[in-house]
Amino acid sequence: MGFNVKNNIYWVGKIDWELRKFHGSEYSTHRGSTYNSYLIREEKTALVDTVWKPFSKEYLEGLSREIDLRKIDYIIANHAEIDHSGALPELMDLVPDKPVYCTSNGIKSLKGHYHRDWNFVPVKTGDRLSLGSKELVFIEAPMLHWPDSMFCYLSGDNVLFSNDAFGQHYASEYMYNDLVDRDELFTECIKYYANILTPFSALVGRKIKEFASLNLPLDIICTSHGVIWRDNPMQIVEKYLEWSSGYKENQITIIYDTMWNGTRIMAEGIAEGIKRVDRSVNIKLYNVSGTDKNDIITEVFKSKGILVGSPTINKGVLSSVAGILDQIRGLGFKGKKAAAFGCYGWSGESVRIITEHLKSSGFEVADEGLSALWNPDEKSINECVSYGQKIAGVMA
Ligand code: FEO
């Protein structure tokens, strides 16, 4: 069921409590998600975004209960990704002549997805669309989260429709930031930023400053995932500024996998050493094979330094560790320190391989790494503790 957001703005999207995987299986959604679509009923009527394709039918049934679809004057596609544009083909089958406003990259993406030639109207930053006494202002936002992404802003109501930016994969029946559990909300916000927006942090900072320079009053941010920010919407904007500026907490995260517990024992020894030197640092250990990879990425995002451990197998590292290292590389973390560790029985390449990977992923390698032959004995464990003490110093 839709609800009124402000004056003539209505939420007409879909709350998806069942979603557990997004982007294929690239992103875990422990708390579901929402696909937010908005209907603006001024003298002219505009529809901002739609929903993910599996919900097209029920979305259009719901929308038809709100309005005769022929009375929609403008369709705004802030972003072409399927979670927002998925219902467009069925909608356009019903109203084939209605104009679809999007960026020029949006036209390419929508044509690429659906192979249809709708009545596209390309817009760029600063373009305006009159809805009567109020108007929509378009603001391109490339790479937040795809090249085609844009925001639009409704004058008079001071509402920003930000699409992916400032969103979260978070299902709630209450849909406003002041009506949900704040810890849960910000847990999902930082996970979303860490896993999706980290590579584009420079653009995030620039876009926020550009928006601020327009001096548009801001009362509400209507995202396309999760809650609507109506209580102090600037709080999430300020968080984005913080997260986009080399964010780190006083945390060291130890990520590893282990075959016969040797590398786990090393991880625990290193943690003990860090703790002996600096009890203020938050130390977290994750066995990659049993931990959600997006949760690990969030912890890496929060860390000032990471240690990555794997035993040597077939002159390489365990595939679970290789997988998380690849994911870390793709996100392009900046300003973080790292080191490697791992046990081995004969050839012992894992520490060198991990170290090289971390270096090429943009980490400052804090040390050449620590190896242990066979399962760590008491002497070896003491070396791990000493290594942790050293790491606490170099990552301070
Ligand atoms: Fe929520 Fe980039 O789509």
Side-chain angles (χ1 to χ4, degrees), residues 79 81 83-84 145 164 192 225:
H79 181 22
E81 198 167 3
D83 49 329
H84 309 292
H145 138 250
D164 282 333
Y192 190 91
H225 293 298

Side-chain angles (χ1 to χ4, degrees), residues 114 136 217 328:
Y114 304 116
L136 280 171
I328 287 171

Side-chain angles (χ1 to χ4, degrees), residues 317-329:
V317 301
L318 289 172
S319 59
S320 55
V321 175
I324 197 82
L325 282 171
D326 261 352
Q327 199 164 359
I328 287 171
R329 171 146 54 199

Side-chain angles (χ1 to χ4, degrees), residues 108-352:
K108 287 182 205 162
S109 289
L110 288 168
K111 284 186 175 178
H113 291 321
Y114 304 116
H115 311 290
R116 307 273 286 277
D117 199 12
W118 296 317
N119 177 15
F120 290 113
V121 181
V123 292
K124 51 190 186 326
T125 297
D127 287 353
R128 289 164 183 262
L129 175 64
S130 174
L131 301 183
S133 61
K134 299 170 188 171
E135 57 184 5
L136 280 171
V137 182
F138 298 104
I139 301 147
E140 291 166 276
M143 304 319 294
L144 272 70
H145 138 250
W146 274 10
D148 69 287
S149 297
M150 70 172 183
F151 304 159
C152 57
Y153 173 89
L154 184 64
S155 69
D157 285 340
N158 307 335
V159 173
L160 180 70
F161 299 90
S162 63
N163 198 265
D164 282 333
F166 313 123
Q168 342 78 44
H169 288 302
Y170 183 47
S172 165
E173 289 298 313
Y174 297 103
M175 289 300 301
Y176 287 106
N177 70 304
D178 52 309
L179 298 182
V180 301
D181 183 289
R182 186 178 166 81
D183 288 343
E184 282 187 2
L185 173 60
F186 276 90
T187 297
E188 294 303 333
C189 287
I190 196 168
K191 176 180 175 181
Y192 190 91
Y193 190 98
N195 283 274
I196 293 182
L197 292 172
T198 295
F200 314 118
S201 281
L203 296 169
V204 170
R206 281 210 292 276
K207 186 52 57 183
I208 290 172
K209 284 172 192 135
E210 180 193 320
F211 182 75
S213 74
L214 299 174
N215 287 318
L216 297 170
L218 185 62
D219 291 349
I220 296 178
I221 299 176
C222 287
T223 67
S224 287
H225 293 298
V227 300
I228 294 165
W229 298 90
R230 68 175 179 187
D231 176 45
N232 182 16
M234 283 306 291
Q235 65 182 300
I236 188 62
V237 179
E238 282 155 13
K239 277 290 174 198
Y240 265 47
L241 277 175
E242 199 181 335
W243 292 338
S244 63
S245 312
Y247 184 75
K248 57 190 159 195
E249 299 176 11
N250 186 19
Q251 176 173 324
I252 296 174
T253 301
I254 303 175
I255 304 160
Y256 64 93
D257 199 355
T258 192
M259 290 173 73
W260 299 108
N261 283 326
T263 301
R264 174 181 64 77
I265 290 166
M266 290 186 76
E268 291 172 1
I270 293 167
E272 173 65 25
I274 296 169
K275 183 172 63 183
R276 284 187 194 176
V277 170
D278 183 358
R279 295 191 80 87
S280 72
V281 67
N282 195 357
I283 308 163
K284 295 190 180 177
L285 282 74
Y286 296 99
N287 182 324
V288 193
S289 66
T291 313
D292 181 279
K293 60 190 177 184
N294 302 109
D295 291 342
I296 292 177
I297 292 294
T298 308
E299 297 303 332
V300 173
F301 179 73
K302 287 155 65 179
S303 298
K304 62 182 180 181
I306 64 169
L307 289 117
V308 180
S310 172
T312 296
I313 178 169
N314 297 333
K315 299 181 182 174
V317 301
L318 289 172
S319 59
S320 55
V321 175
I324 197 82
L325 282 171
D326 261 352
Q327 199 164 359
I328 287 171
R329 171 146 54 199
L331 289 166
F333 290 105
K334 292 197 169 48
K336 297 184 190 296
K337 295 181 178 172
F341 64 97
C343 62
Y344 68 103
W346 50 103
S347 62
E349 290 91 343
S350 69
V351 168
R352 179 182 52 77

